[in-house]
Amino acid sequence: MPIVTVVAKLIANRDSVEAVKSELIKMIEPTRQEDGCIAYRLHQDNDDPSVFVFYETWQDHTCLVQHTQSRHYQAYVAVVGNLMSDKTVHKMTEIV
């Protein structure tokens, strides 16, 4: 299977930016330890601090699915679900 790149854009509610940021940061180290995680980087928009972008690279789709089933991912979803106004996830395969 080909490598999977994920670009996930998350928009926190204006009154929840720091809470969402804290939960996102908690995800980094355990995710980087997961089998198949090649890169897992979090970014925050310089002009709009409520916008966060994850840039992820996974060995294959199976590893990405296992990530979404991990305890730390499920905990993150439970906490931030109502703290975000939008979430867009692009799962992509490099073509060149």
Side-chain angles (χ1 to χ4, degrees), residues 1-2 4 10 17 21 25-26 33 42-45 47-49 56 60-62 64 70 74 80 93:
M1 279 190 173
V4 177
L10 313 151
V17 172
K21 183 177 181 177
I25 289 170
K26 288 180 191 177
Q33 301 303 313
L42 175 62
H43 304 79
Q44 187 174 23
D45 189 280
D47 295 324
D48 184 351
E56 311 170 25
D60 56 36
H61 182 73
T62 300
L64 175 58
S70 68
Q74 292 299 317
V80 302
T93 302

Side-chain angles (χ1 to χ4, degrees), residues 31-83:
T31 299
R32 287 180 177 167
Q33 301 303 313
E34 290 181 48
D35 288 338
C37 180
I38 298 168
Y40 194 77
R41 299 187 330 232
L42 175 62
H43 304 79
Q44 187 174 23
D45 189 280
N46 291 334
D47 295 324
D48 184 351
S50 68
V51 176
F52 298 92
V53 174
F54 268 114
Y55 181 85
E56 311 170 25
T57 309
W58 294 91
Q59 182 177 331
D60 56 36
H61 182 73
T62 300
C63 294
L64 175 58
V65 170
Q66 290 172 342
H67 165 64
T68 63
Q69 296 171 350
S70 68
R71 183 175 297 182
H72 56 273
Y73 183 87
Q74 292 299 317
Y76 142 79
V77 169
V79 172
V80 302
N82 294 326
L83 303 179

